[in-house]
Amino acid sequence: DDFFNEYMRMRILVGSRIFGYKKDNEEKIGIVPYVDMINHSIKSNTTWYYDDDKKSFILEAIKNIPKGEEIVDDYGDKNNIDFLLYYGFTLQDNENPILRIKLKKEKIEFNKNNYHEIINNYNKDELLKKIMKIYKSHKKNISKNIDQNIINIYNDEIVIINKILKIL
């Protein structure tokens, strides 16, 4: 437990501070001090980028930010697993839940937009067995685990599983 907690703390500390950006028309990664301290919101009021002419990172307001309002940035369309891994939080009502199921040698990613298509293209009996196994495992884990971030991830997956089971 101590090792895992320390690993996660360090992973989040470093991972949430590394950004991808374009410099001289090339994709780069780097640490961007101060920008990494801006909180996430899907209703972002900023944008940031690297300016080749100024050789600097630029943080710009994309709308008027009244005094006292928090400055926020959109971290992108991520599922709760990615939010937890890279930033150390999850969103309670994340619009981008995901579930991964491996059938034979193929990995299938279910999300809120593609589960109808996947169900129509795969053996329903095999899918149902895999889904039920994951569903039972996750239901058991939710009752054992009190960490809200993990519960949010399990709940996201269970929402998709329930939708899939209704279709099947």
Side-chain angles (χ1 to χ4, degrees):
D1 266 356
D2 289 341
F3 173 79
F4 177 76
N5 290 336
E6 185 65 12
Y7 168 79
M8 284 303 292
R9 190 172 79 77
M10 290 298 136
R11 172 68 181 86
I12 291 163
L13 181 67
V14 172
S16 68
R17 306 259 181 301
I18 297 174
F19 293 88
Y21 61 93
K22 279 196 171 192
K23 180 180 179 183
D24 299 322
N25 289 324
E26 287 185 38
E27 294 293 327
K28 304 279 186 174
I29 60 170
I31 295 176
V32 186
Y34 298 109
V35 170
D36 64 1
M37 295 171 43
I38 298 173
N39 284 329
H40 166 75
S41 174
I42 58 171
K43 296 178 181 175
S44 174
N45 55 20
T46 64
T47 188
W48 68 271
Y49 55 92
Y50 185 83
D51 185 309
D52 288 321
D53 295 332
K54 294 180 182 178
K55 298 192 182 329
S56 297
F57 287 97
I58 306 296
L59 176 66
E60 287 183 341
I62 57 175
K63 58 185 176 184
N64 184 34
I65 304 172
K67 184 178 180 177
E69 185 176 315
E70 183 176 13
I71 296 171
V72 291
D73 188 44
D74 188 343
Y75 292 7
D77 192 23
K78 294 176 177 55
N79 60 61
N80 273 340
I81 295 167
D82 290 336
F83 276 127
L84 182 62
L85 179 62
Y86 294 109
Y87 308 110
F89 68 87
T90 59
L91 303 175
Q92 182 135 14
D93 297 317
N94 191 344
E95 290 291 318
N96 192 22
I98 193 162
L99 170 67
R100 292 177 182 93
I101 295 177
K102 189 170 183 180
L103 293 175
K104 296 178 183 168
K105 293 183 179 182
E106 187 174 1
K107 183 173 82 172
I108 302 170
E109 291 190 2
F110 282 93
N111 63 47
K112 65 180 182 145
N113 299 318
N114 74 353
Y115 59 84
H116 289 285
E117 178 186 330
I118 288 170
I119 288 168
N120 291 329
N121 292 328
Y122 290 91
N123 179 302
K124 290 184 178 159
D125 292 332
E126 193 175 355
L127 273 175
L128 187 58
K129 285 177 190 173
K130 292 279 186 182
I131 291 167
M132 287 306 294
K133 185 177 178 182
I134 293 169
Y135 184 69
K136 288 175 184 174
S137 168
H138 287 259
K139 268 219 168 302
K140 187 169 39 171
N141 287 336
I142 285 176
S143 62
K144 287 182 179 178
N145 195 323
I146 59 168
D147 181 71
Q148 188 60 46
N149 287 321
I150 301 300
I151 290 171
N152 287 346
I153 290 170
Y154 289 145
N155 283 336
D156 285 349
E157 291 184 354
I158 286 175
V159 165
I160 291 175
I161 290 168
N162 281 326
K163 287 181 179 181
I164 293 166
L165 292 175
K166 285 178 187 173
I167 292 170
L168 293 174

